[in-house]
Structures are given as structure tokens and as C-alpha cells.
Amino acid sequence: MLDTIKDIYSVFWVDLRNLRHHWRSAIVTSLVQPLLYLVAFGYGLGGGVRIGEVSYLAFVIPGIVALTSFSTSFNGAASKLQIDRFFYKSFDELLISPVSLYSIVAGKTLIGTLRGSISSIAILLVGMFLMPTLEVSPLFLLALFVSCFVFSLFGVFIALVIDSHHGMSTFNNLVILPMTFLCGTFFSLNELPEPAKVALYILPLTHASQSLRAAALGYPFPWLSLLVLAGFGIAFFVGCIVALRKTSV
Amino acid sequence: MEEFIVAERLTKKYGNINAVDGLDLVVYSGEIFGFLGPNGAGKTTTIRMMTTLTKPTDGRVHINGFDVVHDACKVREVIGVVQQHISLDRDLTVRENMEYHARLRRLKPAERKKRISELLDYVGLSEYADRMVDALSGGMKKRAAIVCSLIHNPKVLFLDEPTVGLDAQGRRRLWDLVRRLNSDGTTIFLTTHYIEEAEALCRRVGIMHRGRLIALDTPLALRRKLGLIAVETIVGNRETHYQFFADRAEANRYVQSLPPDVGTVIIRESNLEDVFVVQTGEKVGGG
Ligand SMILES: Nc1ncnc2c1ncn2[C@@H]1O[C@H](COP(=O)(O)OP(=O)(O)OP(=O)(O)O)[C@@H](O)[C@H]1O
Ligand SMILES: [Mg+2]
């Protein structure tokens, strides 16, 4: 057990070291998009709008936090792993070491989780400043952390199955970008026709934004969504192991 | 001598390409074994299978008595690998890369420190230890990769084309390092497509061609089978004909028997390139 934890940390260690060189730009770039959304949607479009009891700004902030956690965790994990695999070619060194595949996957997930957590908490702080009535409860933080971890696993999985830089940017444009807009981040899913709703509930980000919003606005907490999110995490983890087993021994 | 690496009918297929095709090979403990072959011969694929990175389609490899597929962990303990392409984190320093490898190999912190400074000294990288890998010359990068692969004191070191892209001096310094490692007890398995490298370093050489081993012996024995002396006759400045003879006397008799208008005649010692060309009808450098 202790060995496993040490192994996971060793895998994480090199990513942390690597991040030390460019952490400032990494954080700043990850905040640009969500801040633009906050301004454009929160103030620009939704200025006077109310959704139910709350202002649109209060409604959209948890959505933007979910989106930040999603894109930063996913990209943080996926881009580093792709760099390891195709640019540094150092991923082989990991596969050749005595570290188990489980520890490799867990370790490679941590850099995305860390980056996602830092960026979403930064956005959250901005949100709390703009909208002091938001409730940042332990439950909110739990949901946020689970989201970061699951989306980071998603990134590791995709970086393992997609074998080229080109494929990665295609995936980003066809899957990641639409998800950031559609998964209940900017609008309430209640307004949608039934089939669209079902389709969106199949995506993990929907469950993250529902959980975070419920926690922040004091709605009944959707435990099922948190559970589904964890289920996605397990599925991605298994996917990673299967992908790794396919090629290496 | 003890058998250290044993491959039996080792095969890797990619689609309909047989990258490695029924390889039978034994490498003995303590030797420098060279795998010689042109681009695409299957050298890297063989190394990747031997080092647990690629699953064989068929056949088996044992290293130090352990099966590389079923006992991968036991195999990983005794092997060090220097990939064909530098596989370090280039935005970290040499020392950071070494520390990473030491952590992956579960060395204790005190052990880590000691081993890193010992090894830096051993390969002559001490003054470069705190430089970013990206800022090193090609030869230094190779040394950095070697030093990382040695961190756990492996019994066998795999080197995939270690001197490609190095200048003459860098190449010789690397050869010296390989010899020193070997005389300190490390078995070496290296691949190359440089004839001189195989001749200069290796006790035994296997020649690989399109996934198959077409010759396997000491360089001298391989040359002896062919003839130690080569005679090249260049006909009409276009075509070169090669003949091989056991010794100079025989070669001289042949040259004297040639018609007087034959053109340029060169008598020289044969080399591994001749062995390769005769076996395959192709040049090692491709073509
Ligand atoms: N991952 C792969 N997928 C498909 N084909 C592959 C793969 N790896 C190698 N091959 C093919 O297997 C054959 C042997 O390749 P390999 O890299 O082992 O040759 P090599 O002797 O190392 O050549 P080089 O001197 O260029 O490094 C080649 O035809 C190559 O195209
Ligand atoms: Mg190769």
C-alpha cells in the first residue's frame, strides 16, 4: 500500500517538476476563457435576466466553475500525457519501470486534477466576489474535487487512445468544445425537449454542473449525479487500463 | 558462459508485415552483442519485445531466466534501456531526470543522492548535471539517457542505435563508455546500422534483414566463412564485381589470372558489409 502511494507520487512528481517551469502561464491561460464567458454571458447577455428565484449571474457562475474544472482538468492531464508519449517519448520509461499500470494511471491523473482545482477555485473566488450569496459548502468542494479528478481521468484515457496530435485537436473541437457549452453550464436543462435532455444527461459534465449549481444555490443536492460522475471516473479508469494492456505487457 | 537472453521463434506482426519473423537467439552474460541491420529490419521491434514494451505476436523471450510477458516485473529489475530516440523530459535538468528514474525504481532518498552523483561522475556528466536536457549537445543527451537507464544498476543494457547523429569524437567516447560498462560487468545488447561500430565493439554480431536473422557469429568467423580477403574489380568504370578468398595468396593468384584490360582492381580485407551484401544482395545503409 505504502509502495503504491509512493509510486503514484513518483509518477506525479515529474509532472509537478515540469509544471514548475510554466505554472504562471498555465494558470493564466486556463482562466482566460471562463472569465470571458463570465463577462459575456453573466453580464452581457444575462444582465437583467432571472432564472426562477435567482439572477442569471448567480445561475451561471457555478456552471462556469464546472466548465473550468472540466476543460482545465481534461487538458492538463491529456496534454502532458500526449507530450510524454509523442514529444518527450518518456512514457516508455514509465512502462519499463516496476510501477504498476494502476499507479501509472492514478499518477498521471493528478497533474490534471491539480491544475483543474487551482483554476476552478480561482474562478470560484471571482464568482464569490461578484455574487457573495453563493454557498461554498463542503459539499460544493467535494463535488468540485470529484469533477476535477474524473475529468482528468477522462483526459488520461483520451490521451492514451488517441495516437496523434491531430486526432487530439479534432476530439477537442468535436467533443470537448460542444460539451462545454451544452452540458447545463449556461442554461437550465429543464427548458429542453425530452430527447435533448436525455442526450445531455449521458455526458459527465452535465452531472458536474448540476451538482455544483445545486450546492451553490442551495437546491436539493443531486446525489445521483455525483454517483454517476463517480461511475464515469471508474469507467475511464478501466478504459485506461484496457488501453495500456492492449499494447504493453 | 551463462545464457542471459534467450529468444525462441520470437515474432511480431503489424498487419501483414512481419516486423520480426521467428527469431531464435541467445545472448550470453557479459558479452557485447550487436544487432546489425538496415532501416526497418526489425531491430527496434526486437528490443521493444525483449524489454516488455511490446507484446510478441508469437514466440518467447527469457531474460535472466524470466519470461518477459509473464514475469515482466522480474525482467524489468535487471534491464536498462536506452531508446532509439531520447526519451527524457527535455524541460528538466539531467539531475531531475535521474531523480525521476531513481524514484520510479524505488531508491531511498539517501541512496538516490549517492547513486546520482556516482553515476554522473562515471559518465563524465557532473558539470552538466544542472543543465536542462534540451540545452545539451546530441552526445551529451545520449549520455544523459544512458545515465538514467543505469540508475538501478541493470545487469543488461539495451542500446538502440546509440551513436546515430553523433560526430566521430562523440561516437568514440560513447564506444569507450560502452566498453567500460561491459568490463564492469554489464551485458550489452546494442543495435546499429554502422558496420564499423559492430566490428569495433561487439564480440558477436547478428545480422537482421526483413525481420529475419540471416547470420550470427563473431565478426571474424562471419568474415572467415565468406573469405577474409576481398577483391573488387571495377569493369568499365560502371560495375563492381566482388570475389572473396581465404588469404592474400589466393587473392593474388586470382588477380593474376584476370585479363589485362580489366580496369581497376582493389585487394582489401573483407568486412561485415560484404557479409551482409552477399547474404541479401543489398547494402546495409539501405538500397
Ligand atoms: N507500431 C508499429 N506499427 C506498424 N508497423 C510498425 C510499427 N513499428 C514498427 N513497424 C514496422 O516494422 C518493421 C520493423 O521496424 P523496426 O522499427 O523494428 O526496424 P528497425 O530495424 O529498428 O529500423 P530503424 O533502423 O529504422 O530503426 C518496419 O517495417 C516498420 O514499418
Ligand atoms: Mg530502430
Side-chain angles (χ1 to χ4, degrees), chain B residues 204-234:
Chain B
R204 286 189 317 136
V205 174
I207 300 181
M208 201 60 179
H209 182 59
R210 296 194 182 146
R212 290 171 175 272
L213 196 62
I214 54 173
L216 174 67
D217 214 327
T218 62
L220 186 64
L222 288 174
R223 285 175 50 217
R224 195 171 274 142
K225 266 178 230 162
L226 181 73
L228 290 176
I229 303 298
V231 176
E232 294 180 24
T233 38
I234 300 166

Side-chain angles (χ1 to χ4, degrees), chain A residues 111-234:
Chain A
I111 196 70
T113 312
L114 177 73
R115 289 181 57 176
S117 305
I118 293 175
S119 298
S120 21
I121 285 175
I123 290 294
L124 180 65
L125 292 176
V126 176
M128 284 163 72
F129 175 74
L130 299 175
M131 191 56 63
T133 53
L134 290 179
E135 281 177 44
V136 181
S137 56
L139 199 54
F140 182 94
L141 292 176
L142 174 73
L144 182 60
F145 181 73
V146 170
S147 306
C148 289
F149 192 75
V150 170
F151 296 140
S152 183
L153 266 171
F154 187 27
V156 171
F157 172 62
I158 295 303
L160 284 176
V161 287
I162 291 185
D163 275 340
S164 71
H165 184 68
H166 180 72
M168 206 65 201
S169 70
T170 308
F171 187 83
N172 264 316
N173 285 317
L174 290 185
V175 180
I176 301 303
L177 193 61
M179 268 176 82
T180 57
F181 279 97
L182 298 179
C183 291
T185 40
F186 294 110
F187 51 83
S188 163
L189 294 182
N190 298 333
E191 323 291 324
L192 292 178
E194 205 57 29
K197 226 163 144 180
V198 171
L200 291 181
Y201 270 106
I202 294 175
L203 300 170
L205 178 54
T206 310
H207 298 279
S209 48
Q210 300 295 71
S211 309
L212 290 176
R213 178 167 298 129
L217 301 182
Y219 300 163
F221 189 76
W223 286 100
L224 185 63
S225 275
L226 195 64
L227 218 62
V228 171
L229 210 52
F232 269 107
I234 293 169

Side-chain angles (χ1 to χ4, degrees), chain A residues 7 9-10 13-14 17-18 21 87-90 92-98 245 247-249, chain B residues 48 51-53 55 76 81 83 85-92 96 99-101 103-106:
Chain A
D7 282 355
Y9 181 68
S10 301
W13 181 87
V14 79
R17 276 283 155 141
N18 193 283
H21 295 288
F87 180 64
Y88 296 147
K89 299 186 166 66
S90 62
D92 282 345
E93 301 294 333
L94 206 45
L95 293 177
I96 247 168
S97 74
R245 284 256 167 83
T247 51
S248 73
V249 300
Chain B
R48 288 184 68 86
T51 56
T52 76
L53 281 172
K55 265 188 204 160
R76 286 173 188 155
V81 190
Q83 311 281 352
H85 303 281
I86 300 292
S87 56
L88 303 175
D89 188 323
R90 277 170 268 168
D91 296 317
L92 297 186
E96 284 173 318
E99 181 168 351
Y100 176 48
H101 280 75
R103 282 171 182 273
L104 291 181
R105 298 291 176 170
R106 298 172 185 157

